[in-house]
């Protein structure tokens, strides 16, 4: 006889090489997976380990995100890895009240893990405890790889002990003992912290006890005042029957005053709560101010760095100005030298030469006069004629020498006048060159100052544009990540809804035109969880007739026969005064609850109203438990959050697998995906525009630097 299969099926989607949804079913006996290298056989075994809580030590991956399909040339990457195991639990191997158990695990690219038990989220510790009770948690021999059998046979006796302990279940208790010891150590540490907190709070307890005593004394004073008023009223009643009406009026007034005082006390308590909330708001505002101060310090540091850089640039400009001033001083010194050279006086005429020339002229005139006198006076003296003739010749020679000296002096004076004219011309040229150089220097200084200002402005614009571009790029990256996460949530919710449509029964029902119950109703969003719990899974049931259901008796599914359901609005139960239903509805209204059928806003077929006609809701689980003794036969009460379903004698804890909440989650995920897609588009456009503006600012800065260098 072939043994039944324990593992019924494995469903994979987005795990390693299984990008598409893949369903692998296992029949009785031994199942074998055969395929060439690289076909995914090892990935299937890794999926089994991963779904049972393996944290990556034996999954051939460096980090957890490596198990998600990373994409290929024909198919893009996905945002989630999902593995679901279906186990046969008919013999209650797992301590849960289900004949078939589904274990699932999901991993998003954001790093979030989800562990599912029958499609309900559970903690990893709860899953490990459940698997540990069936010897499936941390069992090194659950998956026998190639060569492990030979290794087990070759083990020494002391090395086989862990194998026997694992088979006998001793290792499980050892793990529990270690876990209990760790919890005990953690509890001792928590107890030490609690003792420290108690030691810190003990002085406050004394002060609070004194305040409580004062409050109790005030309350007792009010009670004593009430007793005194009642005693006075009774005394007046017994003393004079005439004053009964007045005493009753006084008593009513006093009671009204007490009610007003209690109302005032309630208002004061509300004001105290508002003050506490205001203090919390101030604390949050203080935190925001501190964060703003930290940001301001960071901005101040950046400004100081920028100021240091500008000071260095100003020092370089000052050095350039000093160099230009030195060159200008050298030019002015050269100009002064030229001016002094030109200011030197023209050499004066030779006085000795002039005197000699004058004397020579005078002597010449005297000689001529004497010659004339001698010729006219003593012509007779022939003896002296030769002497006079020789004297005249001597005088003539002297006059010729004086004339030659006069010509030389005139020549030298002409040369000096030419040199003076040349010097004046050079002085005029030097003054014109100096004026032109001063104009060019002033223009160059102004151009340099304007170029430096443009460079500083261009650098500030570039820095601002770069900061805006970096912020826009970060925002684009963040919105892209948010879009991927929203897309993964949409895929997850769509997969969760699609799971209930993939069965053969669901396919045939839809082929016949039937629809599910949750597709035709609209309920109050605040009571969606309570309605899911009261429907107890009927939200995924298909509405059909008896004739349409007769041919599906061999299939598995949930259906609602609509042949006997009345029209919407006619299924309200009549609750006469004093009946159990009326008493229940009155007590439900007293705790702030109501009838669940009143939360249905639209029900096209009336099936939901019929199913919820004997269901009420209460604000909390405690309120629902207090209503249990008043439940008539067939009625149930559920808390507002849908965490339990309470009948006449039964209490079913845990949230139901509600299709209404799942569909609402899918709609919210679709809305979030739409918003994230719009934000990602806007952020991408903003990042592109900021990058373009940063490029323009960088080109402007380069141009300003080139202009400054030229200046």
């Amino acid at each position: 006889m072939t043994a039944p299969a324990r593992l019924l099926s494995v469903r994979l989607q987005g795990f390693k090489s299984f990008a598409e949804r893949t369903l692998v079913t296992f029949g009785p006996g031994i199942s074998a997976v055969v395929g060439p290298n690289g076909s995914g056989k090892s990935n299937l075994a890794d999926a089994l380990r991963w779904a049972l809580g393996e944290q990556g030590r034996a999954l051939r991956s460096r980090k957890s995100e490596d198990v998600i399909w990373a994409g290929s040339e024909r198919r893009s990457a996905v945002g989630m890895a999902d593995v679901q195991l279906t186990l046969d639990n008919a013999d209650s191997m797992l301590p849960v009240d289900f004949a078939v158990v589904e274990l699932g695990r999901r991993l998003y690219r954001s790093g979030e893990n989800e562990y599912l038990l029958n499609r309900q989220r559970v903690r990893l510790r709860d899953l490990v405890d459940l698997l540990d009770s069936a010897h499936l948690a941390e069992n090194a021999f659950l998956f026998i790889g190639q060569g492990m059998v030979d290794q087990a046979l070759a083990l020494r006796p002391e090395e086989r002990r862990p194998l026997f302990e694992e088979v006998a279940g001793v290792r499980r208790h050892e793990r529990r003992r270690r876990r209990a010891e760790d919890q005990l150590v953690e509890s001792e540490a928590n107890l030490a912290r609690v003792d420290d907190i108690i030691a810190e709070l003990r002085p406050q307890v004394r002060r609070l006890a004194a305040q409580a005593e004062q409050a109790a004394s005030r309350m007792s004073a009010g009670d004593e005042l009430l007793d005194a008023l009642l005693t006075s009223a009774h005394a007046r009643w017994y003393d004079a029957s005439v004053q009964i009406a007045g005493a009753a009026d006084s008593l009513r007034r006093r009671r009204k005053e007490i009610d007003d005082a209690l109302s005032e006390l309630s208002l004061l308590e509300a004001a105290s709560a508002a003050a506490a909330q205001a203090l919390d708001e101030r604390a949050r505002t203080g935190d925001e101010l501190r964060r703003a101060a930290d940001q301001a310090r960071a901005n101040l540091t950046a400004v100081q760095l920028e100021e240091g850089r500008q000071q260095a640039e100003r020092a370089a400009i000052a050095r350039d100005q000093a160099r230009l001033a030195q060159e200008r001083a050298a030019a002015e010194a050269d100009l002064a030298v030229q001016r002094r050279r030109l200011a030197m006086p023209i050499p004066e005429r030779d006085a000795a030469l002039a005197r000699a020339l004058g004397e020579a002229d005078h002597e010449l005139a005297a000689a001529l006069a004497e010659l004339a006198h001698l010729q006219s006076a003593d012509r007779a003296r022939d003896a002296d004629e030769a002497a006079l003739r020789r004297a005249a010749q001597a005088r003539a020679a002297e006059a010729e020498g004086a004339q030659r000296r006069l010509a030389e002096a005139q020549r030298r004076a002409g040369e000096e006048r030419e040199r003076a004219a040349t010097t004046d011309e050079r002085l005029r040229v030097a003054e014109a060159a100096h004026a032109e150089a001063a104009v060019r220097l002033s223009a160059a200084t102004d151009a340099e100052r304007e170029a430096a200002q443009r460079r500083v402005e261009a650098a500030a614009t570039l820095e601002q544009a770069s900061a805006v571009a970096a912020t826009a790029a970060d925002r684009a990256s963040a919105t892209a990540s948010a879009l991927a996460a929203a897309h993964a949530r949409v895929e997850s919710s769509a997969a969760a809804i699609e799971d209930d449509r993939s069965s053969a029964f669901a396919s045939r029902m839809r082929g016949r035109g039937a629809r599910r119950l949750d597709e035709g109703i609209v309920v109050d969003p605040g009571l969606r969880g309570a309605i899911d719990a009261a429907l107890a899974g009927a939200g995924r049931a298909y509405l059909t007739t008896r004739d349409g259901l007769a041919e599906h008796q061999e299939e598995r599914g949930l259906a609602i026969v609509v042949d006997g359901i009345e029209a919407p609005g006619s299924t309200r139960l009549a609750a006469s005064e004093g009946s159990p239903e009326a008493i229940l509805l009155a007590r439900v209204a007293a705790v702030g609850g109501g009838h669940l059928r009143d939360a249905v806003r639209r029900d096209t077929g009336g099936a939901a109203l019929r199913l919820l006609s004997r269901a009420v809701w209460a604000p909390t689980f405690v309120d629902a438990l207090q209503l249990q003794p008043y439940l008539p036969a067939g009625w149930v009460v559920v808390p507002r959050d849908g965490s339990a379903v309470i009948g006449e004698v039964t209490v079913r804890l845990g949230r139901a697998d509600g299709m209404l909440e799942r569909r609402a989650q899918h709609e919210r995920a679709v809305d979030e995906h739409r918003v994230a897609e719009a934000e990602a588009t806007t952020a991408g456009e903003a990042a592109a525009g900021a990058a373009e503006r940063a490029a323009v600012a960088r080109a402007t800065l380069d141009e300003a630097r080139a202009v400054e260098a030229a200046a």
Side-chain angles (χ1 to χ4, degrees), residues 15 28 77 79 85 91 93 98 266 342 372 379 386 515 540 599 690:
F15 183 83
L85 305 182
D91 55 354
M93 180 185 69
F98 298 101
S266 300
L342 293 175
R379 285 187 178 92
R515 58 177 178 81
R540 62 168 58 89

Side-chain angles (χ1 to χ4, degrees), residues 453-463 697-698 700-702 704:
Q453 181 66 26
R454 288 196 296 272
R455 178 183 57 77
V456 172
E457 293 176 355
T461 304
L462 175 59
E463 184 176 359
R698 186 174 292 105
T700 304
L701 177 60
D702 295 338

Side-chain angles (χ1 to χ4, degrees), residues 618-667:
T620 63
F621 177 69
V622 177
D623 295 335
L625 282 178
Q626 292 177 356
L627 294 174
Q628 187 180 24
Y630 304 98
L631 289 175
W635 285 72
V636 294
V637 57
V638 295
R640 186 184 185 94
D641 57 0
S643 59
V645 179
I646 302 174
E648 296 180 77
V649 294
T650 61
V651 177
R652 187 173 74 246
L653 299 176
R655 296 182 182 273
D657 184 14
M659 291 303 301
L660 297 178
E661 186 65 29
R662 186 176 294 178
R663 186 176 296 278
Q665 290 178 358
H666 178 66
E667 293 176 356

